[in-house]
Amino acid sequence: MKYGTIKWDAKSNQLLSTVCRNCPDPHFQRRSEELPHIGCCAYEPVFTLFEIYKMIAAGETDFFMEQLYRNPRNTIYEYEIVAGAFIHPLFYSRGPGESESPAERYERLRQSPHTAYQAVDERLAYAVCQFFVDGKGCGLNPHFKTSICRSFICDAVEERLSEEERKQLSARQRMIRDEAEPFHRKYRAIFQEKGWTLGDNIEEIMVYLQELNQQKAE
């Protein structure tokens, strides 16, 4: 199914845009010509229990352990894993006439809850998702992409759509969320009741998800 500049990939349940490689959204423009122009791939994806389950169900346990769980760049929370981005060296450098580097500005902004969101934008302006592949885009198996990565369409692209196309877009985005979010909430509650977390009980959680996949296959 296609509409406007967006394609619906039914096989992987994801939205794709034909203009992403030349991102038109002002918010995602880089702050220096030295930075790669990668649009919304200046991001740190958050993998939930749903994506972890899909990796394990696909038999990609080694990929999950090596690329996500044991990757020193990543941050493991109780039921989510944040895939840390590559940060360009310019983030740590002061430009001509500047009193602070982007990194120093980031630290200053994150000190206040009123500017914390600005701090995130400051850092991501110099970030490259670790799964980004130059000349291709996302190098991650689309079945393992987060629901946000599969559903996000920037304002500059959405503005090109007709009213009917925007309704179709919204329906697709809702379908992606409805697939991932309830799963994550359900099994987070189960693991909380068991006292399990990704940090302390990864083996138990992996066995549980493997058994869950076997039950679904029967």
Side-chain angles (χ1 to χ4, degrees), residues 108-217:
R108 173 172 56 80
L109 291 171
R110 68 193 294 262
Q111 299 305 314
S112 169
H114 302 293
T115 56
Y117 72 97
Q118 296 177 18
V120 173
D121 286 346
E122 185 71 39
R123 184 173 182 274
L124 291 183
Y126 295 85
V128 178
C129 175
Q130 63 180 262
F131 297 108
F132 177 79
V133 177
D134 190 29
K136 175 184 177 181
C138 184
L140 187 64
N141 183 326
H143 293 287
F144 304 157
K145 289 168 66 174
T146 70
S147 59
I148 291 178
C149 291
R150 289 187 291 121
S151 65
F152 180 77
I153 296 295
C154 72
D155 291 341
V157 174
E158 187 171 346
E159 288 170 357
R160 302 183 181 196
L161 305 179
S162 67
E163 183 176 351
E164 180 59 31
E165 288 172 333
R166 291 185 188 184
K167 290 181 181 179
Q168 295 178 50
L169 171 63
S170 179
R172 296 297 188 188
Q173 291 173 323
R174 186 167 55 252
M175 185 173 72
I176 292 171
R177 291 194 302 270
D178 289 347
E179 176 190 31
E181 293 177 5
F183 182 100
H184 177 72
R185 289 195 300 268
K186 176 180 178 179
Y187 292 99
R188 178 184 61 192
I190 290 174
F191 296 153
Q192 284 175 331
E193 185 175 353
K194 291 178 177 292
W196 293 353
T197 66
L198 289 173
D200 296 330
N201 307 94
I202 187 59
E203 293 184 4
E204 291 93 333
I205 289 176
M206 288 174 61
V207 169
Y208 185 99
L209 294 178
Q210 287 170 342
E211 291 176 349
L212 175 64
N213 181 55
Q214 292 172 357
Q215 293 171 10
K216 288 179 176 291

